[in-house]
Amino acid sequence: MKAAVYSRLSTDRQNESSIADQVRVCAEYAERQGWQVVEYFEDQGISGAALGNRPGVLRLQDAAFARRVDAILVTDLSRLSRSQGDLSKMIDRLVVKGIRVVGVQDGYDSARRGHKLQAGLSGIIGEAFREMVKDRTYAALESRARGKRATGGRAYGYRDGKVDKGEAYIVREIFGRFADGASCRTIAGDLNARRIPSPGATWNRTERRATGWMGSGIRVIVRNERYRGTVHWNASEWRKDPDTGKRKRIMRPRSEWISYVDESLRIISDDLWERAQRRTRPAKDETRLRTGGKPKYLLSGLLRCDVCDAHYTITDAVSYGCSSYHDGHACSNSIRVRRDRVEHILLGPIRDDLLAPERVARMVKEMQDHYLERVQASQARAVEAPRELLELAARIERLRERLQHGDPDMTADELQAAIDRRKRSAASFWRYRVTRACRPRRLRSCPTQQSCTAAKWRLASMAIRTRS
């Protein structure tokens, strides 16, 4: 039997030998069973909360669905996923394809009876453990924030929670030039030309969008209040999409923030801060910022640079270009592509396919079927409508009797108001339901006359008005 081994580390702070230990345990189990391990998959420094952001587990699924392996070995099911829904769904898909899943240390085997119960319990325990770690981490950080101690996070200009003199000099230069009118792109381009290391240049990142300064990075710096000694904690939270694993930042209400002033972190003066902020505030008549973040062009956010993987964005009126190159020359790719040309190449076949005769005919048929369903539903409703109108007339009659003989619960004015409301409902019922159901709109032009359902509605409505 051909087997694949999958191993995972939750964070990059765990011991790297953990991967080797997981592989060793699974390989020894395969050897005892007489299985042949043909492929190895791993994810390092990635949480098990989602599947979409783990390339290793995605490649594992592809290999399993392609039947390159017959079994999957893990040390325990939490390595596959710590989400109850994802784990059960993933195992079900693998079992349907005939793939056997084995947890070496927790004793799980999808070939045994009751394996679904064990997988469900494992998913629940893993998800509860993840939530517990999250709550404990939040409580510890909150305690540090209330004590005005460092809570983590990196910002350019600081090292180990203290001001870095060399980077602080660059921060003052950025604020000064920006306050004097220089654009973010101009400042980024000049820093790249001088080969000043950019934020994150020495950070151990697994993914890096660009190797130099960018205008967006300058904009983040001039809006960070930490440079004036003001620290905010709990201003936002990151929520992870359960499908893609991507995180989205959600701002918290101002009342939940924990803020304090630490003069030891100050790099710029309050006067320089205010001068810079006056440039970041948009004018009241700035209409270009009112689009709500919606893309203005057909391919906005879809094109990527082959050199640095940054987005290709509109650089002028007629062409797309690498955003890293045009936002501070952080990329060497200066090639631009004409907007009309690339849209014609990429979107032309889609338009042709949508307007193909067979597709148009299929869309027409689907629209006709949908219209027929609505007509049938309307006809079914038309059969029941006269009964509702007669019930409304009976209700009005009962209210009149209560008005005539007196009522201990309602005054005469209240009863008359209730009768008026029912009359208006009857009139509205006639206007919007009866007339819309009858295609000729008038009974005189209706060929069926009194046998028409609309005629029955009108007779019931006339009975209400006659009694009035």
Side-chain angles (χ1 to χ4, degrees), residues 156 167 192 195-203 208 210-214:
Y156 186 79
E167 293 182 354
N192 287 328
R195 299 186 180 278
I196 303 296
S198 64
T202 59
W203 299 349
R208 192 180 303 279
T211 57
W213 290 85
M214 297 186 65

Side-chain angles (χ1 to χ4, degrees), residues 257-273:
W257 293 17
I258 298 178
S259 304
Y260 61 90
V261 177
D262 187 351
E263 289 295 332
S264 65
L265 300 178
R266 180 185 289 274
I267 294 179
I268 63 169
S269 63
D270 290 335
D271 177 66
L272 182 56
W273 168 264

